[in-house]
Amino acid sequence: KDARVVELSGEGYFDVTHSNIPFIVKNKSMDVRVLGTTFNMTAYPEDLMVTTTLLTGKVKVSAVGEENESVELTPGMQSDWQKEGKKMGVKKVNAENFTAWRQGSFMFDNENIMVVTRVLERWYGFKFIYKENALEHTFSGCLSKDEPLESILETLTYTGGPRFKIEKDVVYIIEKK
């Protein structure tokens, strides 16, 4: 009766109606407390970072067990909590890019290939293996989640990325020669 509490492992989009009872999203690393707002939170257990991106309203983001690590976000701001370094960062972002998944798109803005392939791994269920210097690539653009993986990988190659080789449920990333 004192609070509305949700535990999150993965990614969630929240549109919270204003109430006198606080709404709290928890995971092992962070708590996000809101009264009425829309925000996206990414908290996959295997990731080294937890991010909260605010679209509307206001939230307070606090690191669990770190009393001095909290920040209030305003619309268009994103916090990131680095689990290993126990460090909170805040930056201005295009918040719509982080909720494009809700409309069936992947949106990338100068993202490292590791970020891009982690998103693709989760959506398509393939494991990505890196070869040589392929980690140096970054990507910007919008891709449809309805496209087959092969089509997405061709697009990434055509935009200057590495080559990809699919074997069963594994995708090998190979630097162009």
Side-chain angles (χ1 to χ4, degrees), residues 18-89:
H18 179 73
S19 169
N20 291 332
I21 301 171
F23 184 86
I24 302 167
V25 179
K26 294 178 165 279
N27 72 55
K28 291 180 181 178
S29 300
M30 303 200 70
D31 291 344
V32 177
R33 179 179 294 266
V34 302
L35 290 175
T37 191
T38 53
F39 66 99
N40 194 79
M41 186 171 178
T42 306
Y44 289 97
E46 66 273 13
D47 286 356
L48 299 177
M49 192 175 334
V50 176
T51 62
T52 303
T53 308
L54 185 64
L55 283 82
T56 64
K58 190 174 183 180
V59 296
K60 181 177 182 181
V61 180
S62 304
V64 172
E66 302 291 327
E67 59 190 60
N68 294 328
E69 292 291 343
S70 68
V71 64
E72 286 189 3
L73 299 180
T74 56
M77 300 300 290
Q78 180 181 72
S79 70
D80 55 57
W81 172 250
Q82 295 182 18
K83 295 177 190 177
E84 288 184 359
K86 297 194 182 280
K87 182 178 177 188
M88 181 85 71

XYZ file of all heavy atoms in Angstrom, residues 18-89:
553
model
N 0.240 9.597 -12.813
C 0.511 10.306 -11.554
C -0.353 9.736 -10.429
O -1.524 9.448 -10.603
C 0.243 11.796 -11.703
C 0.497 12.546 -10.430
N 1.762 12.773 -9.960
C -0.352 13.069 -9.518
C 1.676 13.419 -8.816
N 0.402 13.616 -8.535
N 0.282 9.555 -9.276
C -0.400 9.031 -8.104
C 0.353 9.481 -6.867
O 1.535 9.810 -6.933
C -0.427 7.497 -8.164
O -0.858 6.958 -6.947
N -0.309 9.494 -5.738
C 0.363 9.799 -4.474
C 1.170 8.607 -3.978
O 1.958 8.734 -3.055
C -0.653 10.225 -3.410
C -1.249 11.571 -3.735
O -0.611 12.396 -4.377
N -2.481 11.778 -3.305
N 0.947 7.437 -4.579
C 1.702 6.237 -4.213
C 2.862 6.103 -5.196
O 2.653 5.998 -6.399
C 0.803 4.980 -4.267
C -0.384 5.143 -3.319
C 1.606 3.738 -3.925
C -1.424 4.051 -3.460
N 4.106 6.137 -4.712
C 5.250 6.068 -5.617
C 5.294 4.772 -6.422
O 4.875 3.723 -5.941
C 6.462 6.157 -4.694
C 5.959 6.382 -3.330
C 4.485 6.218 -3.311
N 5.798 4.884 -7.633
C 6.034 3.749 -8.519
C 7.542 3.557 -8.572
O 8.280 4.492 -8.881
C 5.479 4.037 -9.914
C 5.590 2.889 -10.870
C 4.607 1.919 -10.922
C 6.674 2.781 -11.721
C 4.704 0.855 -11.805
C 6.784 1.727 -12.608
C 5.791 0.760 -12.653
N 8.023 2.343 -8.277
C 9.454 2.073 -8.200
C 9.787 0.879 -9.078
O 9.147 -0.167 -8.976
C 9.898 1.794 -6.745
C 9.547 2.978 -5.852
C 11.388 1.474 -6.683
C 9.654 2.691 -4.367
N 10.788 1.052 -9.933
C 11.307 -0.055 -10.731
C 12.659 -0.417 -10.144
O 13.538 0.431 -10.020
C 11.460 0.327 -12.215
C 12.017 -0.849 -13.008
C 10.124 0.776 -12.793
N 12.814 -1.681 -9.768
C 14.045 -2.158 -9.121
C 14.722 -3.206 -9.989
O 14.064 -3.952 -10.701
C 13.729 -2.820 -7.773
C 13.188 -1.908 -6.714
C 12.890 -2.719 -5.447
C 12.695 -1.844 -4.264
N 13.913 -1.379 -3.643
N 16.037 -3.227 -9.900
C 16.816 -4.380 -10.347
C 17.981 -4.488 -9.379
O 18.043 -3.748 -8.402
C 17.219 -4.267 -11.830
C 18.276 -3.220 -12.067
O 19.329 -3.241 -11.454
N 17.990 -2.293 -12.959
N 18.895 -5.404 -9.610
C 19.969 -5.631 -8.644
C 20.879 -4.427 -8.465
O 21.498 -4.276 -7.429
C 20.805 -6.842 -9.061
C 20.052 -8.136 -8.941
C 20.898 -9.309 -9.370
C 20.081 -10.588 -9.252
N 20.820 -11.753 -9.684
N 20.938 -3.532 -9.468
C 21.884 -2.420 -9.426
C 21.257 -1.061 -9.159
O 21.925 -0.175 -8.654
C 22.640 -2.324 -10.755
O 23.341 -3.503 -11.014
N 19.996 -0.866 -9.555
C 19.404 0.469 -9.495
C 17.947 0.431 -9.056
O 17.262 -0.559 -9.266
C 19.441 1.124 -10.876
C 20.804 1.213 -11.456
S 20.879 2.439 -12.733
C 20.708 3.888 -11.755
N 17.492 1.555 -8.511
C 16.078 1.802 -8.245
C 15.692 3.082 -8.979
O 16.428 4.063 -8.931
C 15.812 2.029 -6.747
C 16.004 0.773 -5.911
O 16.044 -0.323 -6.490
O 16.102 0.913 -4.684
N 14.546 3.061 -9.657
C 14.019 4.259 -10.301
C 12.671 4.548 -9.663
O 11.770 3.712 -9.672
C 13.868 4.063 -11.830
C 13.247 5.292 -12.461
C 15.215 3.755 -12.462
N 12.534 5.752 -9.092
C 11.318 6.159 -8.389
C 10.622 7.248 -9.200
O 11.233 8.252 -9.532
C 11.678 6.674 -6.999
C 10.503 7.141 -6.172
C 10.963 7.606 -4.797
N 11.500 6.507 -4.014
C 10.781 5.798 -3.146
N 9.518 6.076 -2.936
N 11.327 4.805 -2.466
N 9.313 7.049 -9.487
C 8.558 8.013 -10.299
C 7.195 8.279 -9.673
O 6.679 7.478 -8.902
C 8.359 7.492 -11.741
C 9.674 7.216 -12.412
C 7.503 6.251 -11.784
N 6.624 9.402 -10.065
C 5.248 9.712 -9.672
C 4.331 9.775 -10.880
O 3.146 9.530 -10.760
C 5.197 11.034 -8.898
C 5.829 10.975 -7.517
C 5.842 12.360 -6.886
C 5.080 10.009 -6.621
N 4.820 10.122 -12.034
C 4.032 10.165 -13.259
C 4.937 10.531 -14.408
O 5.379 11.670 -14.496
N 5.229 9.574 -15.287
C 6.237 9.820 -16.311
C 6.271 8.697 -17.335
O 5.618 7.678 -17.149
C 7.625 9.960 -15.625
O 8.552 10.444 -16.565
C 8.107 8.664 -15.061
N 7.046 8.873 -18.397
C 7.332 7.788 -19.339
C 8.846 7.667 -19.471
O 9.548 8.666 -19.642
C 6.703 8.031 -20.732
O 7.096 9.306 -21.215
C 5.194 7.965 -20.671
N 9.331 6.440 -19.354
C 10.766 6.208 -19.442
C 11.046 4.791 -19.900
O 10.179 3.929 -19.858
C 11.458 6.484 -18.099
C 11.083 5.537 -16.991
C 11.910 4.475 -16.667
C 9.906 5.709 -16.271
C 11.570 3.604 -15.637
C 9.565 4.846 -15.238
C 10.403 3.792 -14.922
N 12.276 4.574 -20.360
C 12.733 3.264 -20.790
C 13.904 2.873 -19.898
O 14.754 3.694 -19.583
C 13.213 3.324 -22.251
C 13.370 1.950 -22.861
O 12.397 1.336 -23.258
N 14.594 1.468 -22.949
N 13.942 1.606 -19.499
C 15.034 1.121 -18.667
C 15.574 -0.159 -19.274
O 14.806 -1.046 -19.649
C 14.546 0.870 -17.242
C 15.628 0.511 -16.271
S 14.921 0.507 -14.600
C 16.341 0.018 -13.661
N 16.893 -0.224 -19.406
C 17.570 -1.404 -19.920
C 18.438 -1.964 -18.804
O 19.373 -1.289 -18.363
C 18.428 -1.050 -21.147
O 17.602 -0.397 -22.105
C 19.028 -2.297 -21.767
N 18.125 -3.181 -18.353
C 18.815 -3.781 -17.209
C 18.985 -5.281 -17.411
O 18.469 -6.083 -16.644
C 18.037 -3.491 -15.931
N 19.700 -5.646 -18.471
C 19.949 -7.066 -18.716
C 21.035 -7.553 -17.756
O 22.048 -6.875 -17.577
C 20.392 -7.299 -20.164
C 19.282 -7.093 -21.161
C 19.143 -5.890 -21.837
C 18.362 -8.106 -21.417
C 18.120 -5.692 -22.752
C 17.338 -7.924 -22.330
C 17.223 -6.716 -22.999
O 16.213 -6.534 -23.895
N 20.847 -8.697 -17.118
C 21.820 -9.191 -16.136
C 23.235 -9.323 -16.690
O 24.200 -9.084 -15.987
C 21.276 -10.560 -15.729
C 19.848 -10.564 -16.121
C 19.711 -9.610 -17.274
N 23.363 -9.694 -17.969
C 24.683 -9.915 -18.550
C 25.395 -8.623 -18.968
O 26.587 -8.625 -19.253
C 24.592 -10.875 -19.748
C 23.830 -10.330 -20.927
C 22.314 -10.560 -20.881
O 21.770 -10.928 -19.819
O 21.667 -10.362 -21.920
N 24.671 -7.499 -19.034
C 25.282 -6.229 -19.432
C 26.034 -5.599 -18.270
O 25.648 -5.744 -17.105
C 24.224 -5.243 -19.938
C 23.710 -5.611 -21.321
O 24.214 -6.575 -21.928
O 22.786 -4.913 -21.793
N 27.076 -4.862 -18.595
C 27.885 -4.188 -17.585
C 27.295 -2.838 -17.183
O 27.803 -2.179 -16.292
C 29.318 -3.992 -18.101
C 30.065 -5.275 -18.437
C 31.432 -4.959 -19.012
C 30.190 -6.149 -17.198
N 26.210 -2.423 -17.873
C 25.628 -1.122 -17.615
C 24.100 -1.212 -17.569
O 23.498 -1.998 -18.292
C 26.042 -0.147 -18.723
C 25.735 1.275 -18.418
S 26.336 2.488 -19.628
C 27.720 1.757 -20.403
N 23.499 -0.400 -16.693
C 22.051 -0.245 -16.621
C 21.747 1.181 -17.054
O 22.342 2.125 -16.546
C 21.532 -0.475 -15.177
C 20.037 -0.220 -15.103
C 21.863 -1.877 -14.713
N 20.810 1.345 -18.019
C 20.474 2.688 -18.481
C 19.000 2.994 -18.229
O 18.143 2.115 -18.314
C 20.768 2.888 -19.983
O 19.958 1.990 -20.741
C 22.222 2.660 -20.301
N 18.746 4.257 -17.933
C 17.386 4.765 -17.789
C 17.278 6.002 -18.666
O 18.087 6.930 -18.523
C 17.079 5.131 -16.326
O 17.291 3.976 -15.510
C 15.642 5.603 -16.169
N 16.305 6.014 -19.585
C 16.122 7.119 -20.516
C 14.744 7.714 -20.275
O 13.743 7.011 -20.341
C 16.229 6.621 -21.973
O 17.445 5.886 -22.120
C 16.195 7.780 -22.948
N 14.696 9.018 -19.995
C 13.441 9.684 -19.654
C 12.853 10.384 -20.869
O 13.520 11.177 -21.529
C 13.676 10.691 -18.529
C 12.417 11.359 -17.996
C 11.486 10.348 -17.353
C 12.782 12.449 -17.005
N 11.559 10.099 -21.143
C 10.838 10.758 -22.228
C 10.023 11.939 -21.704
O 10.072 13.025 -22.271
C 9.923 9.765 -22.953
C 10.651 8.840 -23.914
C 11.276 7.680 -23.213
C 9.723 8.386 -25.000
N 9.228 11.706 -20.650
C 8.427 12.789 -20.070
C 8.452 12.678 -18.556
O 8.692 11.604 -18.004
C 6.950 12.728 -20.533
O 6.360 11.518 -20.047
C 6.817 12.806 -22.040
N 8.187 13.782 -17.878
C 8.098 13.785 -16.425
C 9.450 13.941 -15.772
O 10.336 14.631 -16.276
N 9.622 13.263 -14.654
C 10.850 13.364 -13.870
C 11.018 12.076 -13.082
O 10.049 11.532 -12.562
C 10.735 14.552 -12.914
C 11.991 14.939 -12.206
C 11.730 16.219 -11.412
C 12.971 16.709 -10.727
N 12.719 17.933 -9.969
N 12.254 11.575 -12.997
C 12.539 10.389 -12.201
C 13.799 10.622 -11.381
O 14.648 11.425 -11.740
C 12.729 9.101 -13.056
C 11.472 8.718 -13.776
C 13.891 9.234 -14.011
N 13.895 9.879 -10.297
C 15.119 9.847 -9.508
C 15.701 8.452 -9.638
O 15.043 7.467 -9.326
C 14.846 10.168 -8.039
C 16.113 10.171 -7.208
C 15.851 10.555 -5.774
C 17.159 10.587 -4.990
N 16.934 10.942 -3.591
N 16.940 8.383 -10.111
C 17.627 7.121 -10.325
C 18.690 6.981 -9.240
O 19.501 7.888 -9.046
C 18.285 7.082 -11.720
C 18.996 5.756 -11.942
C 17.253 7.330 -12.803
N 18.669 5.869 -8.518
C 19.606 5.643 -7.419
C 20.265 4.290 -7.553
O 19.600 3.289 -7.803
C 18.873 5.689 -6.073
O 18.183 6.899 -5.919
N 21.574 4.269 -7.345
C 22.307 3.006 -7.364
C 22.082 2.288 -6.043
O 22.178 2.891 -4.972
C 23.793 3.264 -7.583
N 21.777 1.005 -6.110
C 21.531 0.200 -4.921
C 22.831 0.061 -4.127
O 23.870 -0.314 -4.669
C 20.976 -1.192 -5.302
C 20.895 -2.104 -4.096
C 19.616 -1.049 -5.972
N 22.769 0.410 -2.840
C 23.919 0.276 -1.961
C 24.956 1.380 -2.085
O 25.994 1.327 -1.454
N 24.693 2.371 -2.915
C 25.627 3.486 -3.115
C 24.880 4.778 -2.804
O 24.298 5.408 -3.683
C 26.146 3.509 -4.560
C 26.844 2.243 -5.000
C 28.175 2.045 -4.302
O 28.855 3.038 -4.001
O 28.525 0.869 -4.056
N 24.889 5.203 -1.551
C 24.053 6.321 -1.109
C 24.339 7.634 -1.824
O 23.455 8.470 -1.965
C 24.171 6.515 0.405
C 25.584 6.801 0.878
C 25.702 6.755 2.387
O 25.408 5.699 2.962
O 26.091 7.778 2.959
N 25.547 7.849 -2.317
C 25.873 9.103 -2.992
C 25.683 9.050 -4.500
O 25.958 10.032 -5.181
C 27.327 9.509 -2.677
C 27.505 9.851 -1.219
O 26.588 10.351 -0.563
N 28.681 9.564 -0.691
N 25.265 7.926 -5.026
C 25.107 7.770 -6.466
C 23.633 7.800 -6.854
O 22.987 6.770 -6.978
C 25.768 6.476 -6.956
C 27.272 6.470 -6.857
C 27.952 7.425 -7.841
O 27.336 7.872 -8.828
O 29.134 7.725 -7.603
N 23.088 8.999 -7.002
C 21.725 9.152 -7.495
C 21.654 10.436 -8.312
O 22.485 11.332 -8.148
C 20.714 9.171 -6.351
O 20.869 10.331 -5.576
N 20.671 10.487 -9.183
C 20.517 11.642 -10.059
C 19.040 11.778 -10.421
O 18.327 10.786 -10.510
C 21.393 11.493 -11.324
C 20.954 10.326 -12.169
C 21.417 12.769 -12.127
N 18.583 13.013 -10.582
C 17.234 13.270 -11.082
C 17.334 13.565 -12.566
O 18.161 14.379 -12.986
C 16.592 14.440 -10.337
C 16.177 14.069 -8.938
C 15.336 15.143 -8.266
O 15.016 16.165 -8.900
O 14.987 14.934 -7.091
N 16.497 12.888 -13.352
C 16.496 13.075 -14.797
C 15.324 13.933 -15.224
O 14.235 13.835 -14.656
C 16.415 11.728 -15.517
C 17.532 10.722 -15.281
C 17.270 9.449 -16.083
C 18.878 11.314 -15.644
N 15.560 14.748 -16.242
C 14.504 15.514 -16.905
C 14.384 14.957 -18.325
O 15.274 14.233 -18.792
C 14.842 17.016 -16.919
O 16.120 17.196 -17.534
C 14.870 17.588 -15.507
N 13.295 15.284 -19.040
C 13.081 14.705 -20.368
C 14.285 14.890 -21.305
O 14.908 15.947 -21.348
C 11.856 15.456 -20.887
C 11.088 15.769 -19.645
C 12.151 16.112 -18.630
N 14.612 13.794 -22.018
C 15.728 13.800 -22.951
C 17.062 13.464 -22.312
O 18.092 13.487 -22.982
N 17.044 13.123 -21.038
C 18.287 12.764 -20.347
C 18.334 11.252 -20.141
O 17.307 10.596 -20.037
C 18.381 13.467 -18.989
C 18.366 14.979 -19.070
S 19.723 15.678 -20.035
C 21.112 15.340 -18.985
N 19.561 10.734 -20.058
C 19.767 9.304 -19.833
C 20.850 9.126 -18.770
O 21.890 9.776 -18.819
C 20.223 8.625 -21.121
C 20.458 7.132 -20.979
C 20.935 6.519 -22.278
O 22.068 6.737 -22.699
N 20.044 5.777 -22.925
N 20.570 8.253 -17.816
C 21.594 7.885 -16.840
C 22.120 6.513 -17.211
O 21.393 5.685 -17.756
C 21.019 7.861 -15.415
O 20.142 6.779 -15.261
N 23.396 6.310 -16.925
C 23.947 4.969 -17.070
C 24.763 4.656 -15.828
O 25.514 5.478 -15.333
C 24.767 4.805 -18.355
C 25.885 5.820 -18.500
O 26.739 5.903 -17.604
O 25.912 6.520 -19.517
N 24.518 3.469 -15.302
C 25.211 2.989 -14.108
C 26.130 1.860 -14.536
O 25.678 0.836 -15.044
C 24.219 2.498 -13.066
C 24.856 1.826 -11.899
C 24.801 0.489 -11.600
C 25.652 2.416 -10.880
N 25.512 0.229 -10.463
C 26.053 1.404 -9.993
C 26.078 3.728 -10.638
C 26.843 1.642 -8.878
C 26.867 3.970 -9.521
C 27.235 2.939 -8.657
N 27.433 2.079 -14.367
C 28.407 1.050 -14.692
C 28.573 0.162 -13.468
O 29.070 0.606 -12.431
C 29.722 1.692 -15.109
C 29.565 2.481 -16.386
C 30.863 3.100 -16.853
O 31.942 2.698 -16.431
N 30.744 4.060 -17.740
N 28.123 -1.083 -13.591
C 28.069 -2.005 -12.465
C 29.448 -2.254 -11.854
O 29.591 -2.202 -10.635
C 27.464 -3.343 -12.900
C 26.023 -3.266 -13.332
C 25.560 -4.642 -13.801
C 24.228 -4.614 -14.470
N 23.833 -5.947 -14.967
N 30.444 -2.528 -12.689
C 31.764 -2.875 -12.161
C 32.487 -1.668 -11.579
O 33.095 -1.748 -10.538
C 32.602 -3.550 -13.237
C 32.116 -4.952 -13.534
C 33.010 -5.674 -14.532
O 33.993 -5.100 -15.014
O 32.688 -6.842 -14.819
N 32.441 -0.536 -12.272
C 33.137 0.655 -11.792
C 32.345 1.440 -10.772
O 32.844 2.391 -10.173
N 31.079 1.028 -10.571
C 30.172 1.709 -9.647
C 30.198 3.219 -9.891
O 30.469 4.022 -9.005
C 30.509 1.376 -8.204
C 30.336 -0.103 -7.901
C 30.345 -0.359 -6.418
C 30.224 -1.836 -6.128
N 28.921 -2.361 -6.201
N 29.888 3.571 -11.154
C 29.937 4.975 -11.551
C 28.670 5.337 -12.314
O 28.251 4.615 -13.215
C 31.168 5.213 -12.423
C 31.342 6.636 -12.844
C 32.602 6.806 -13.664
C 32.686 8.246 -14.135
N 33.772 8.442 -15.072
N 28.070 6.483 -11.943
C 26.860 6.983 -12.591
C 27.244 8.061 -13.592
O 28.027 8.956 -13.274
C 25.916 7.566 -11.534
C 24.607 8.097 -12.086
S 23.352 6.844 -12.268
C 22.948 6.507 -10.567
N 26.687 7.958 -14.781
C 26.879 8.979 -15.805
C 25.528 9.493 -16.261
O 24.524 8.785 -16.179
